[in-house]
Amino acid sequence: MLNKVGADASISSCSKEILSSNKIILPGVGHFDHGMKMLKKYDLISPLNTFALEMKKPVLGICLGAQMLGHGSEEGVLPGLGWIGMECKKLPPHSTLRVPHMGWNQIKITQNSKILTKVVPNSRYYFVHSYYMKCKNFENSAALTNHGIDFSSVVVKDNICGTQFHPEKSLKHGMELFESFVNL
């Protein structure tokens, strides 16, 4: 998907490559603590902090990668990166909706954000998650989605953004979001 929007992308766990990059996508599928343990195992937390907080280069977290941008998750006990004031909570049981939230759903843009410049209102994206992002400050929530409750589906703070959905699986609208990120 990144190649289709003209990005020169590579996968790396090398601190030097990360620090010399123009932008970073922090992907993630799986358990919160496992994701944080892997960042620690490969000694990536310090270079990621330098990249995002000191160098102020653009970062996009996807799904678990977005959840790790916050302070922590009910899914585990380890702290997150702490870049955005948010916690991740377990989606509550619902009489007619399944958990995990899996499938297509709309986002409702709640504020302007550079990552959402090409997004058409009420666009549909592909979600797969059992935990949701809950921002402490409304200004960090750029879009909401409803799955029994409203939750932040796009979070932003300065040069850092995250999506609860998977843009790489979201066809045309996911490509538009990646295009916005690449053009930051």
Side-chain angles (χ1 to χ4, degrees):
M1 183 79 76
L2 289 167
N3 291 334
K4 288 183 179 184
V5 298
D8 179 21
S10 63
I11 299 171
S12 180
S13 60
C14 172
S15 297
K16 289 180 183 176
E17 288 179 19
I18 288 170
L19 291 171
S20 67
S21 297
N22 294 322
K23 297 173 184 71
I24 289 178
I25 295 177
L26 184 61
V29 173
H31 190 274
F32 188 90
D33 280 0
H34 180 71
M36 291 306 300
K37 283 178 187 175
M38 291 297 100
L39 291 180
K40 186 173 181 178
K41 176 182 175 179
Y42 291 102
D43 199 26
L44 295 176
I45 293 176
S46 179
L48 287 171
N49 282 334
T50 299
F51 186 93
L53 303 177
E54 294 174 30
M55 299 170 82
K56 301 235 181 255
K57 292 183 179 181
V59 176
L60 171 62
I62 297 174
C63 196
L64 177 61
Q67 292 179 355
M68 293 189 307
L69 301 175
H71 294 289
S73 175
E74 289 181 348
E75 185 178 26
V77 296
L78 294 178
L81 294 167
W83 298 347
I84 296 178
M86 67 177 183
E87 300 286 336
C88 294
K89 306 285 186 185
K90 175 92 171 147
L91 282 168
H94 192 277
S95 60
T96 59
L97 299 172
R98 292 178 16 166
V99 174
H101 174 212
M102 187 178 330
W104 295 92
N105 205 339
Q106 292 181 328
I107 69 168
K108 179 183 176 190
I109 297 171
T110 56
Q111 63 173 294
N112 292 331
S113 169
K114 292 178 184 177
I115 193 71
L116 299 174
T117 55
K118 292 183 172 260
V119 172
V120 177
N122 300 314
S123 298
R124 291 168 31 101
Y125 296 88
Y126 191 78
F127 289 82
V128 180
H129 64 111
S130 297
Y131 292 82
Y132 67 94
M133 300 181 293
K134 183 175 182 178
C135 292
K136 293 180 181 177
N137 299 309
F138 183 74
E139 64 266 12
N140 294 131
S141 183
L144 298 174
T145 295
N146 186 283
H147 188 74
I149 61 166
D150 285 337
F151 63 86
S152 296
S153 50
V154 179
V155 294
V156 296
K157 183 178 179 188
D158 305 322
N159 55 304
I160 301 163
C161 52
T163 63
Q164 184 59 71
F165 54 85
H166 288 268
E168 77 280 8
K169 297 189 177 293
S170 298
L171 306 172
K172 174 185 165 190
H173 296 302
M175 190 178 302
E176 292 166 346
L177 187 129
F178 275 141
E179 196 171 7
S180 292
F181 180 69
V182 167
N183 290 326
L184 286 177

